[in-house]
Amino acid sequence: MAKSFLLFFLFIAASHAQQKITLEDIYINNTFATEDLPSFHFMYNSDSIISMHTDQYGAALQKYSFENPDIIETILDSRNLGEINSFDSYQFSSDESKIIVGTNSQKIFRRSSRADFYVYDRLTKRLSRIAAYKIQEPLFSPDGLKVAYAFENNLYVKDLISGKTTQITSD
């Protein structure tokens, strides 16, 4: 068995040895690029996961069971949001009753970006923008009633009930 595997491996290696690798294959054609792992979220106290799917019509968060590959429920669909056409990121509150969705992302540096962020309330089906400008790194408070974020190198907190935003730092 080991000999046949080794012969098979050598045959494959020899057949590809004549193929030349070019810089265009590496940097332009992305011939050797890896595929992204779809983003997903494990639901708390449940046997299901949420996965984000995007296509030319928008984005959707879909719920799947561990036991069945079929979609159980569409949690959020950008086609039903009105105010935004799609989203490219999401984050649940700790009780999963609210979702922060980001759209129109702009890269700043290698691993940082700013975007338009909204909070979607799953109970009321309401979408509200966190700030009138592009912000960075929004996070829910542990109770899900506030959102902290960065804007122009300062930290802010928005109270989701009153709508009031408080600037925490100014340096």
Side-chain angles (χ1 to χ4, degrees):
M1 178 82 165
K3 282 185 181 181
S4 61
F5 176 75
L6 182 60
L7 288 173
F8 176 74
F9 178 75
L10 290 173
F11 173 75
I12 296 296
S15 67
H16 289 288
Q18 302 302 319
Q19 202 173 16
K20 293 190 184 223
I21 298 174
T22 66
L23 291 175
E24 288 79 17
D25 285 336
I26 296 170
Y27 295 110
I28 296 173
N29 302 332
N30 292 321
T31 303
F32 304 102
T34 59
E35 291 186 30
D36 290 336
L37 179 66
S39 102
F40 59 90
H41 168 82
F42 289 95
M43 299 296 288
Y44 297 112
N45 299 321
S46 174
D47 62 346
S48 57
I49 61 170
I50 302 293
S51 180
M52 183 170 82
H53 297 275
T54 58
D55 60 23
Q56 69 268 25
Y57 304 110
L61 297 179
Q62 296 172 327
K63 184 176 180 178
Y64 296 87
S65 169
F66 291 136
E67 299 170 357
N68 185 340
D70 297 332
I71 297 170
I72 297 172
E73 174 187 3
T74 297
I75 300 291
L76 183 62
D77 190 333
S78 65
R79 291 176 289 193
N80 300 330
L81 295 178
E83 201 169 328
I84 61 175
N85 296 328
S86 188
F87 52 89
D88 46 39
S89 65
Y90 70 96
Q91 174 195 349
F92 281 86
S93 61
S94 60
D95 66 356
E96 298 175 339
S97 67
K98 297 178 185 76
I99 308 168
I100 293 175
V101 293
T103 186
N104 302 321
S105 296
Q106 294 176 332
K107 285 274 193 201
I108 301 171
F109 297 110
R110 185 171 153 189
R111 295 182 191 254
S112 62
S113 63
R114 64 176 66 97
D116 298 319
F117 286 97
Y118 297 79
V119 172
Y120 177 74
D121 188 315
R122 293 179 61 197
L123 302 174
T124 64
K125 308 276 189 237
R126 245 184 55 219
L127 183 74
S128 58
R129 190 162 179 178
I130 295 173
Y133 37 81
K134 291 188 183 296
I135 61 173
Q136 292 178 266
E137 304 297 329
L139 295 170
F140 281 111
S141 61
D143 61 7
L145 299 177
K146 295 181 175 117
V147 174
Y149 63 89
F151 174 68
E152 294 183 345
N153 295 323
N154 285 300
L155 300 177
Y156 294 80
V157 173
K158 180 173 184 170
D159 185 309
L160 297 176
I161 295 172
S162 71
K164 181 181 177 197
T165 299
T166 306
Q167 185 172 346
I168 304 299
T169 62
S170 58
D171 58 352

